Amino acid sequence: MEAEPHSPESRRARRVDDLVAGLSLDEKLAQLVGVWLNVDREEGVVAPLQDAMQGEDVEFETFARHGLGHVTRHYGTRPVDPRWASTLLAERQRWLMDHTRPGIPALAHEECLTGLAAWRATTYPAPPAWGASFDPVLVERMARRIGEGMAALGVHQGLAPVLDVIRDQRWGRVEECVSEDPYEVAVVGAAYVRGLQSAGVIATLKHFVGYSNSRAGRNLAPVHAGPREVADTLLFPFEVAVRDAGAGSVMHSYAEIDGVPVAADPTYLTDLLRGAWGFEGTVVADYFGVAFLHTLHAVAEDAGDAAGQALTAGVDVELPTGVAYLEPLKEAVRSGRVSEDLVDRALRRVLTQKAALGLLDEDYEPVPSGPVDLDPPESREVARRLAEESVVLLANDGVLPLGDAAGRRVAVLGPNANSVAALFGCYAFVNHVLPQFPEVEAGIEAPTLLAALLAELPDAEVAHERGTGVDDGDRAGIPAAARLAASSDVAVLVLGDRSGLFGRGTSGEGCDVEALDLPGAQAELARAVLATGTPTVVVLLTGRAYAVPDVLKRAAAVVQAFFPGEEGAGAVARVISGAVNPSGRLPMSMPRSPSGQPYSYLHPRLGAASSVSNIDPAPALPFGHGLSYTRFAYADPAADETVPAGGSIRCAVTVRNAGERPGAEVVQVYASDTIASVTRPLAQLVGFARVELAPGQAARVAFDVPPRLLSFTGRDGRRVVEPGEVVLSVRRSAADVVAELPVTITGPVYEVTGAERRLTEVSVHVEPVPTRQGQEEEHS
């Protein structure tokens, strides 16, 4: 439907047309780049090869004399007072309007994966914690809170969420990913997009596509994924975020897939993204990614050639600044190597997005935020709840919950027990920027786990020994830690990661590992403490799942928390005491062998143990695993017995809290294709529901699984649903089957059109809480 001729949409469209027709080449190119100011080129590098790629600092007015597309990380480059920075941003927007011929304000973007990456802003749990919660509703609420804070500061675009599917846990950026399952990534990622954009901030999907499938888990290493793996596993979360959640921007990945860098590949950035999926937003470059076509990938002879290839492929905006899209691209256009029509195509997309944000309206007025609290109680409450829901109880022999531990001696040990940094990932401001400014306080209240346990167990006798560092290999403190454990009634041993960037951590961007052993001398510390015989609760504060089979076998309990954020220590402490009943589930398989990567539960028959190999790749704990302080019973599973190839499958099951305390169960439904024309995963998640139940309470959980989730790329490259038998299974985890429900798919092969529903519809009918009398009669 066309807009009314005098509607705001029509006026904005005419304004875009006039600008595209009236801007000079310099002014056009200025709209296609960002500017990144106040960057330290030598210390604290936060982007690949930033020290080599980032030019000398320039004055804003000099760089933006022809206009400007983006302001890069105005709040997120160094610690700045939010009110002062907001005033400066408004002044710069006014300068662009008054002192450049186009008079077009810039679009301001920031990192926002675990909250706005700015000083004093709420820092939420890392994405694997979102996956562990299996709670997309809460993730959407979190993203809305993030967006509202950004919008209040005049920020228009957030560089999140990350929709890369975990394929190899050696990769340092696993901590930025939601899950190893594409369906869960799609559901949770779409929720984030909806939340952020409901606040008026554009979400940017990262990293399109293939980035997480790099060879040997090495950052930026080549990706050798076949077209079926790309289509059936890696692309699905992006498709859902674009077509169902309406994401406004996409960031290309640094990856090369089968020798072709994505930044230069129109097959993905134009044909698929815009042609097949109908994407109408902007494609932005990952930082310096356009220039990398020349400097790293060596598929372009110079920066001008790189700019031409990226522009042709569909990259509209070069971030963080204009390395290739200014003078090099200008020369390429003037010489005829690159058509100005391609510049106009990108320009129209950029201006259309600015118009939709109101930046081209005649009455647009940049206004400073005034006093602003970036870490208000409402945001901390969301952070607390998400942290609590994401804690995974991996093992428990009954030692947990501790209760108040009154009069008991509790040894709190390990390198992460008294570390604030251990609560955050590499894109949290605390770890991303503040290490460059050691004199600046964190700006947010984030107690360590030691402090949280002291508060949670006020009547216990709590003592602390560090034992060793995260990765320094220092063993001198291990004997003292073991002695303290031996003299205590219970020990809490806190191990894990130190997140950082480009070798400055054990997890994070550019912090890949060769094997999934605990870093440093932590395994030795664990052995020494466990050898004392004192009941030991091991807490893992990490960005990935480590191979700790000995810990799982010998510890009294094991608790996993994936960088749980500023409220995370309190959440873990409340799980240990029992004030919170754990309900998190593993969003990634926990490896049995440190060298057993790459691994995913999404493997076909020959991906499992068999007589043709002496190696068993089975994980120590499966995807979806997690324990509780209560018990859940399942009953009355049912599913359609027969459906046509293009139809959806309905199934349902009743789940009841059979324990004595409230709790949440994650009901998981998987599909298995028994015989297909190509090899298929033994099981694949097609639906889930987080269900909170009081003791004795039951719920009927129903799933309507669309044909899209039963489809795959056939031998001829078409996406199809084949007739035959499919088994739906209700499971507690990928390996814990409650019930199997065979379904016969009838009729001819069904070719998926793209118009089908992509996500499973879930309904939960919760029965009333049973009365105490009714419970007693049932027990009798």
Side-chain angles (χ1 to χ4, degrees):
M1 180 181 295
E2 293 186 5
E4 294 294 328
H6 300 294
S7 67
E9 292 78 10
S10 292
R11 289 196 299 271
R12 288 169 177 169
R14 290 194 295 271
R15 171 78 164 133
V16 170
D17 289 340
D18 292 343
L19 286 169
V20 172
L23 295 186
S24 69
L25 181 58
D26 283 326
E27 291 165 343
K28 291 176 180 179
L29 298 178
Q31 293 297 315
L32 308 186
V33 302
V35 64
W36 197 6
L37 301 177
N38 301 315
V39 182
D40 191 327
R41 296 179 61 224
E42 304 299 331
E43 298 295 329
V45 170
V46 298
L49 300 182
Q50 174 188 318
D51 51 343
M53 302 303 299
Q54 179 74 17
E56 297 294 336
D57 235 4
V58 297
E59 293 295 327
F60 176 82
E61 294 79 5
T62 301
F63 188 95
R65 62 190 181 280
H66 298 300
L68 183 63
H70 278 238
V71 173
T72 294
R73 297 182 60 174
H74 178 75
Y75 296 92
T77 299
R78 55 183 56 239
V80 292
D81 176 76
R83 186 175 183 181
W84 173 87
S86 173
T87 300
L88 178 61
L89 180 60
E91 290 173 352
R92 285 177 170 169
Q93 295 284 40
R94 171 51 62 190
W95 186 92
L96 288 169
M97 297 168 67
D98 293 345
H99 293 87
T100 65
R101 194 179 74 87
I104 303 170
L107 191 153
H109 77 257
E110 295 287 346
E111 297 285 359
C112 61
L113 186 63
T114 57
L116 172 62
W119 193 43
R120 298 179 179 171
T122 305
T123 306
Y124 297 89
W130 315 349
S133 77
F134 278 84
D135 192 345
V137 174
L138 185 56
V139 170
E140 182 171 345
R141 184 178 166 198
M142 173 196 72
R144 186 180 304 114
R145 293 296 309 172
I146 294 170
E148 288 169 353
M150 296 171 74
L153 294 174
V155 178
H156 309 100
Q157 183 167 347
L159 303 187
V162 172
L163 300 185
D164 297 306
V165 178
I166 297 169
R167 304 298 282 168
D168 189 326
Q169 293 190 51
R170 293 174 296 180
W171 188 44
R173 301 192 80 168
V174 163
E175 66 166 63
E176 301 175 50
C177 302
V178 173
S179 173
E180 77 179 52
D181 181 83
Y183 182 80
E184 191 190 8
V185 177
V187 173
V188 173
Y192 184 100
V193 171
R194 287 192 300 270
L196 195 73
Q197 295 193 162
S198 70
V201 175
I202 297 166
T204 308
L205 311 181
K206 297 162 62 172
H207 305 86
F208 187 73
V209 60
Y211 191 26
S212 60
N213 213 38
S214 59
R215 181 66 66 88
R218 291 179 56 249
N219 198 36
L220 273 71
V223 172
H224 295 284
R228 183 170 291 104
E229 182 178 2
V230 174
D232 291 358
T233 301
L234 303 180
L235 283 172
F236 182 65
F238 292 94
E239 181 182 5
V240 170
V242 168
R243 302 181 81 165
D244 295 282
S249 188
V250 170
M251 175 180 283
H252 78 73
S253 91
Y254 288 128
E256 58 171 88
I257 300 178
D258 196 23
V260 181
V262 174
D265 195 343
T267 305
Y268 293 116
L269 299 183
T270 296
D271 300 346
L272 178 67
L273 184 60
R274 297 188 186 276
W277 296 352
F279 177 69
E280 295 182 346
T282 56
V283 174
V284 301
D286 204 343
Y287 283 15
F288 308 114
V290 175
F292 286 168
L293 295 176
H294 168 56
T295 61
L296 292 185
H297 293 294
V299 297
E301 62 183 4
D302 55 30
D305 184 18
Q309 290 191 39
L311 204 60
T312 301
V315 179
D316 303 310
V317 180
E318 184 185 17
L319 297 180
T321 190
V323 176
Y325 272 18
L326 290 178
E327 288 303 317
L329 181 54
K330 177 182 176 181
E331 188 279 327
V333 172
R334 292 291 190 224
S335 67
R337 286 198 295 165
V338 177
S339 170
E340 192 167 348
D341 290 344
L342 291 173
V343 174
D344 290 348
R345 183 181 72 172
L347 175 65
R348 183 174 296 278
R349 293 167 181 165
V350 169
L351 294 179
T352 298
Q353 195 160 72
K354 287 189 174 186
L357 291 166
L359 297 178
L360 304 186
D361 292 354
E362 292 182 359
D363 60 352
Y364 170 74
E365 183 65 35
V367 179
S369 67
V372 59
D373 183 359
L374 296 183
D375 190 25
E378 299 84 356
S379 296
R380 295 191 68 96
E381 169 61 21
V382 174
R384 178 197 63 78
R385 183 176 166 192
L386 184 54
E388 289 178 349
E389 291 188 5
S390 70
V391 176
V392 186
L393 180 60
L394 300 179
N396 185 23
D397 69 359
V399 69
L400 294 183
L402 289 183
D404 61 11
R408 301 178 72 187
R409 294 165 297 175
V410 179
V412 181
L413 313 168
N416 279 345
N418 200 31
S419 168
V420 171
L423 303 173
F424 305 109
C426 71
Y427 270 81
F429 195 80
V430 168
N431 286 336
H432 197 77
V433 174
L434 281 187
Q436 306 166 48
F437 303 91
E439 73 283 0
V440 178
E441 63 181 12
I444 54 176
E445 182 181 346
T448 66
L449 183 51
L450 173 62
L453 286 170
L454 284 166
E456 187 67 18
L457 309 174
D459 297 322
E461 183 182 329
V462 177
H464 168 247
E465 283 285 350
R466 181 168 176 261
T468 187
V470 169
D471 61 341
D472 59 15
D474 184 2
R475 295 162 173 80
I478 292 178
R483 285 193 298 272
L484 180 59
S487 65
S488 300
D489 298 306
V490 64
V492 178
L493 176 59
V494 191
L495 308 173
D497 277 320
R498 174 174 52 83
S499 188
L501 294 162
F502 305 106
R504 302 194 297 273
T506 62
S507 172
E509 185 173 1
C511 296
D512 314 313
V513 296
E514 295 179 344
L516 294 177
D517 300 290
L518 282 171
Q522 293 185 71
E524 293 182 42
L525 173 63
R527 284 194 294 271
V529 172
L530 292 170
T532 65
T534 297
T536 300
V537 178
V538 174
V539 177
L540 300 169
L541 296 178
T542 69
R544 57 166 70 87
Y546 281 98
V548 288
D550 192 52
V551 168
L552 291 171
K553 180 180 179 181
R554 299 175 59 195
V558 184
V559 175
Q560 171 72 60
F562 295 101
F563 292 144
E566 64 183 50
E567 290 286 335
V572 173
R574 287 187 289 275
V575 166
I576 290 173
S577 74
V580 168
N581 190 355
S583 59
R585 302 293 185 267
L586 281 175
M588 62 191 85
S589 306
M590 176 156 276
R592 179 180 50 82
S593 167
S595 56
Q597 294 291 308
Y599 176 84
S600 167
Y601 90 91
L602 294 168
H603 58 73
R605 185 169 300 176
L606 286 176
S610 71
S611 61
V612 301
S613 173
N614 63 322
I615 296 175
D616 182 357
L621 293 172
F623 171 85
H625 169 82
L627 304 179
S628 172
Y629 296 149
T630 189
R631 296 176 291 108
F632 296 95
Y634 287 79
D636 304 322
D640 293 329
E641 294 182 358
T642 305
V643 298
S648 60
I649 302 177
R650 295 168 300 172
C651 70
V653 69
T654 296
V655 60
R656 181 172 64 88
N657 185 344
E660 299 180 352
R661 58 179 297 165
E665 172 73 326
V666 177
V667 182
Q668 304 167 44
V669 175
Y670 294 76
S672 305
D673 205 338
T674 55
I675 298 293
S677 59
V678 300
T679 60
R680 301 286 294 134
L682 293 177
Q684 182 164 358
L685 186 72
V686 294
F688 62 86
R690 179 187 171 87
V691 184
E692 297 186 2
L693 297 170
Q697 190 175 32
R700 187 70 175 171
V701 187
F703 301 85
D704 190 305
V705 182
R708 174 64 175 81
L709 295 180
L710 306 174
S711 69
F712 56 87
T713 303
R715 295 188 186 188
D716 59 2
R718 296 182 304 145
R719 178 165 294 282
V720 296
V721 179
E722 293 180 342
E725 185 180 78
V726 169
V727 177
L728 291 191
S729 54
V730 178
R731 306 188 182 202
R732 293 185 177 91
S733 73
D736 188 350
V737 180
V738 173
E740 293 185 323
L741 305 165
V743 180
T744 300
I745 298 177
T746 63
V749 172
Y750 176 79
E751 183 172 357
V752 174
T753 66
E756 297 85 359
R757 176 164 48 90
R758 279 164 287 278
L759 299 179
T760 294
E761 293 179 347
V762 181
S763 63
V764 180
H765 175 69
V766 181
E767 298 177 0
V769 178
T771 63
R772 178 176 295 276
Q773 179 181 355
Q775 287 179 304
E776 291 173 350
E777 290 174 352
E778 180 182 349
H779 180 70
S780 299

